[in-house]
Amino acid sequence: PGASPSSGALNPFDRQLKRKQKNWAALQAEPAKCDYLREEVRGRRHWRGHLECCGQTFPLALDVGSGRGYIAQHLTKETVEKLVQVDIAENALKNAVESEIPTVRVVADEEFLPFKEDTFDLVVSSLSLHWVNDLPKAFREIHQVLKPDGVFIGAMFGGDTLYELRCSLQLAELEREGGFSPHVSPFTAVTDLGHLLSSAGFNTLTVDTDEIQVNYPGLFEVMEDLQGMGESNCSWNRKPLLHRETMLAAAAIYQEMYGNSDGSVPATFQIYYMIGWKYHESQAKPAQRGSATVSFGDLAKIEGLLKKGKK
């Protein structure tokens, strides 16, 4: 179900528009042309490290917001035996990249997962959850469909994403039109992410941040690739059209404030990587408060003795 403009701050995104944007992107002649950012995120040590640290085979996994299967094509049968892909855009699933893993594709909203409780051993999600209206609910849904001792591994855009584009557009609108409206969607702050995951029921949490910077010929190429990724703004309070003069001014501001010496302009993407487990009684538990047998003061003395021994 899509939110309506009257939903206010609790539903900032037009989910039906996001579905149209992703469907359009999936039907382009070369949809893989704009997959470079998702490929880079998947290849980073944070994502690979989280999967490798599990060190096990998952009989059944779920990919939330799978798109064209960016994750599936890099999984093996030694990691996942069967995969279910879920996305709001049917064209993305129809044009999904094939993988060696048996796969089932389901058209569904990430906020309303149509699966029974305790179904999956692993849930993954890459660069999709930043478009969810109710992120706490989405995390609760993911936690619910996980089996006890199941793990969630995710990546999503962070608050500093596209700050160069955001600033350039706002300054241009202020100069040419006397005010500005949002042209880049709001993002979750990293300080909130751990609390949201914990509130959803996850434990043994790890949250990492990283930045990816991509250089483009100019502002218009940045916006063109965002559209090709299906990442155009879908906020209810977005401004549908920008005047030509405002766009030209924004491109000049972008170049002046952030331009590289070779004439290109950078676009920064902040990425949050997260991993959390669903509780099971077999999991290691923290020691009781006050049960320690060695103090930090003793550890400092040991370190001093070791240094003397080296000398």
Side-chain angles (χ1 to χ4, degrees):
S4 65
S6 61
S7 300
L10 294 178
N11 292 287
F13 304 123
D14 182 345
R15 293 289 291 171
Q16 292 304 320
L17 177 59
K18 178 49 57 183
R19 178 184 180 186
K20 292 178 181 177
Q21 291 172 348
K22 295 181 72 173
N23 273 329
W24 179 89
L27 290 179
Q28 297 312 294
E30 297 180 273
K33 179 183 176 183
C34 295
D35 288 351
Y36 54 84
L37 195 60
R38 292 183 173 91
E39 288 291 330
E40 179 66 22
V41 168
R42 182 209 57 78
R44 293 263 166 146
R45 60 180 177 81
H46 305 77
W47 185 266
R48 289 185 287 104
H50 286 336
L51 270 176
E52 291 168 2
C53 79
C54 298
Q56 63 186 90
T57 300
F58 299 97
L60 184 61
L62 171 67
D63 185 355
V64 177
S66 62
R68 296 178 54 254
Y70 313 105
I71 297 177
Q73 59 185 307
H74 300 287
L75 295 175
T76 64
K77 291 181 179 179
E78 288 71 31
T79 306
V80 173
E81 294 179 356
K82 186 175 182 180
L83 178 68
V84 177
Q85 295 176 325
V86 168
D87 200 277
I88 196 173
E90 61 274 16
N91 289 341
L93 294 174
K94 289 177 183 177
N95 293 310
V97 180
E98 295 298 328
S99 73
E100 65 177 54
I101 303 171
T103 303
V104 176
R105 300 182 176 101
V106 179
V107 179
D109 195 315
E110 294 93 333
E111 292 184 10
F112 307 93
L113 297 178
F115 306 106
K116 293 182 180 179
E117 187 175 355
D118 302 340
T119 299
F120 298 96
D121 306 278
L122 167 70
V123 176
V124 295
S125 181
S126 182
L127 303 187
S128 171
L129 293 176
H130 58 287
W131 291 119
V132 167
N133 274 313
D134 192 343
L135 189 57
K137 181 179 184 298
F139 283 151
R140 291 195 298 269
E141 292 266 326
I142 291 171
H143 183 270
Q144 180 174 313
V145 301
L146 272 174
K147 293 179 180 179
D149 203 31
V151 60
F152 167 57
I153 301 175
M156 63 185 293
F157 287 121
D160 289 337
T161 296
L162 296 174
Y163 71 86
E164 304 98 339
L165 177 63
R166 183 188 300 117
C167 184
S168 300
L169 288 169
Q170 289 177 354
L171 289 175
E173 275 196 288
L174 280 171
E175 177 192 348
R176 297 302 173 101
E177 303 179 29
F180 65 86
S181 59
H183 296 285
V184 177
S185 70
F187 295 104
T188 303
V190 68
T191 51
D192 298 328
L193 196 55
H195 174 70
L196 291 175
L197 289 165
S198 179
S199 298
F202 291 100
N203 57 35
T204 321
L205 295 171
T206 300
V207 177
D208 296 323
T209 64
D210 193 14
E211 281 191 357
I212 298 173
Q213 193 172 85
V214 184
N215 292 320
Y216 296 88
L219 175 143
F220 296 102
E221 287 78 11
V222 175
M223 299 184 74
E224 181 181 358
D225 273 20
L226 289 174
Q227 187 179 28
M229 297 175 194
E231 292 294 331
S232 298
N233 189 9
C234 69
S235 301
W236 283 112
N237 60 351
R238 71 193 180 281
K239 190 174 183 178
L241 293 173
L242 275 172
H243 295 104
R244 180 175 180 273
E245 293 76 11
T246 303
M247 290 296 293
L248 291 172
I253 292 171
Y254 204 140
Q255 180 65 54
E256 180 65 25
M257 292 183 61
Y258 305 106
N260 299 315
S261 58
D262 62 357
S264 64
V265 296
T268 300
F269 299 89
Q270 185 180 38
I271 312 295
Y272 299 154
Y273 298 89
M274 67 204 89
I275 180 170
W277 299 78
K278 187 170 182 177
Y279 174 77
H280 187 268
E281 58 184 11
S282 66
Q283 293 172 352
K285 300 177 179 63
Q288 291 185 353
R289 186 179 179 86
S291 63
T293 57
V294 179
S295 70
F296 282 109
D298 294 332
L299 292 174
K301 294 176 184 178
I302 293 172
E303 185 180 358
L305 291 172
L306 291 173
K307 287 181 180 178
K308 288 183 180 178
K310 288 181 180 178
K311 291 180 180 179

